[in-house]
Amino acid sequence: MSILIYAESAEGKFRKVAFELASYAKKVAESLGTTVTAVTINTGDVSELSKYGVDKVLKVTNDKLAGFSAKAYADVIKQAAQKEETKVILLSSTTDSIYLAPLVAVSLEAGFASNVVGLPVSTSPFQVKRNAFSNKAFNITEINTEVKILGLAKNSYGIFESASNLAEEDFNPTIGGNDFGIKTESVEKVTGKVSLADADIVVSAGRGLKGPENWGMIEELAEVLGAATACSKPVSDLGWRPHGEHVGQTGKPVAANLYIAIGISGAIQHIAGINSSKVKVVINTDPEAPFFKVADYGIVGDAFDVVPRLIEKLKAFKASHS
């Protein structure tokens, strides 16, 4: 009756969230006196999970699952949970897993707690701490069902190594035709850049940049920091940047370790979507911009003056420490 995690991957390689989830699961397993099992879908080498405390991997390899299908993937996780007779299932809070968790919960008649930000407060009764009210508060949620599902908030726990002896097992769940109600026609992928899903640092910009032709310095700053680039909703609506970079409550939620907002006033929907970020920095000419009220650090100044100087200083700092 081990703890089960869904270890997400992309193009056959684990995403960073898989290692955070494994680290979290290892600690929970220790408190429950059990082990950690991971289920993977079309992942190549799974041995890296042994660094983070996973004891067993159920490897699913199936061409039908080459493209993400929430219903099909949820069915795989359900069958893995039934096979292992697990009572605690852990998923991350990525876009894919947010779709998966409710489907798995319904199929197993399990209680589901999303946005979990720490280890269980108690295991008897089973209680967890969660983000609430668009990340403005916390609550303690008690799960009373026999099977429990937790959605771990990104960057809320961290990645910790804990070596284990990993056992690998090929797993062949039943894949039904009804699992593919939605068909993916095409997928657009960005290469050569840090993805928002895996980024520890995000450099985001808004209409204060005045036009798409000025995004070079944002991309340069992101490159220096090893960060992902993002934008506000008006910017993506205007076509200055791809919609995939739109962050906020109506776009992609961000829980980065460092979030830098440049030329973004700070509409409530934007703030709600990035509020889980640990350190927030704002650069804006308007000292009354709402973003300053939630920022940890703020610079009142023109982005076209501040950002190039910031890039220069960062490059000098990196050169002196290389």
Side-chain angles (χ1 to χ4, degrees):
M1 298 208 306
S2 64
I3 289 176
L4 180 72
I5 71 169
Y6 167 49
E8 286 191 48
S9 61
E11 298 181 348
K13 296 182 179 179
F14 287 117
R15 297 175 63 178
K16 192 185 76 171
V17 291
F19 305 133
E20 181 174 28
L21 199 62
S23 302
Y24 180 89
K26 175 63 175 178
K27 204 67 179 177
V28 177
E30 288 176 351
S31 67
L32 294 174
T34 186
T35 57
V36 180
T37 297
V39 57
T40 66
I41 299 176
N42 291 335
T43 306
D45 182 8
V46 300
S47 61
E48 199 169 4
L49 288 177
S50 66
K51 295 180 183 178
Y52 307 100
V54 176
D55 301 288
K56 178 180 178 182
V57 176
L58 300 178
K59 295 180 62 176
V60 178
T61 304
N62 193 312
D63 290 341
K64 290 182 179 179
L65 302 172
F68 177 75
S69 167
K71 193 172 181 181
Y73 277 45
D75 203 15
V76 169
I77 297 168
K78 169 195 171 184
Q79 292 180 56
Q82 291 173 329
K83 176 183 182 300
E84 296 297 303
E85 298 182 340
T86 189
K87 302 303 179 186
V88 179
I89 303 170
L90 305 179
L91 294 97
S92 61
S93 292
T94 63
T95 302
D96 286 355
S97 285
I98 287 173
Y99 279 108
L100 288 173
L103 294 171
V104 178
V106 169
S107 66
L108 292 173
E109 297 183 350
F112 168 47
S114 61
N115 295 319
V116 174
V117 293
L119 292 169
V121 176
S122 167
T123 56
S124 182
F126 200 94
Q127 298 176 330
V128 289
K129 183 180 179 181
R130 304 171 56 231
N131 276 329
F133 302 112
S134 297
N135 304 317
K136 293 184 178 68
F138 300 106
N139 69 25
I140 303 298
T141 297
E142 183 172 318
I143 308 176
N144 296 315
T145 51
E146 183 180 13
V147 179
K148 302 163 180 64
I149 300 177
L150 308 183
L152 183 66
K154 181 186 172 188
N155 285 330
S156 62
Y157 184 72
I159 298 174
F160 304 96
E161 293 193 5
S162 178
S164 63
N165 294 318
L166 187 68
E168 298 181 24
E169 178 182 330
D170 290 332
F171 179 48
N172 299 299
T174 302
I175 308 297
N178 293 331
D179 285 337
F180 300 93
I182 298 175
K183 181 180 179 182
T184 302
E185 294 290 344
S186 65
V187 177
E188 294 182 7
K189 296 181 180 179
V190 176
T191 59
K193 294 182 179 180
V194 178
S195 72
L196 274 172
D198 295 325
D200 285 325
I201 304 173
V202 175
V203 178
S204 188
R207 281 182 294 184
L209 268 289
K210 300 179 181 178
E213 67 277 4
N214 296 318
W215 236 262
M217 65 179 182
I218 302 300
E219 293 176 331
E220 185 177 3
L221 176 59
E223 184 179 355
V224 172
L225 291 171
T229 56
C231 68
S232 61
K233 184 178 187 296
V235 165
S236 62
D237 287 345
L238 287 166
W240 294 1
R241 300 297 292 178
H243 282 282
E245 291 190 3
H246 165 206
V247 298
Q249 194 172 40
T250 57
K252 292 182 178 179
V254 170
N257 288 323
L258 173 62
Y259 182 83
I260 303 175
I262 302 169
I264 299 175
S265 62
I268 189 170
Q269 294 88 351
H270 188 89
I271 298 298
I274 62 89
N275 215 30
S276 289
S277 297
K278 292 181 179 177
V279 178
K280 296 175 280 292
V281 178
V282 59
I283 301 170
N284 203 297
T285 55
D286 180 9
E288 301 301 320
F291 221 126
F292 281 107
K293 296 179 181 179
V294 299
D296 297 285
Y297 302 94
I299 300 172
V300 178
D302 189 336
F304 295 97
D305 176 41
V306 175
V307 175
R309 292 166 66 182
L310 182 59
I311 292 170
E312 180 184 348
K313 293 293 185 181
L314 286 169
K315 284 183 175 179
F317 176 81
K318 289 180 72 174
S320 66
H321 289 76
S322 59

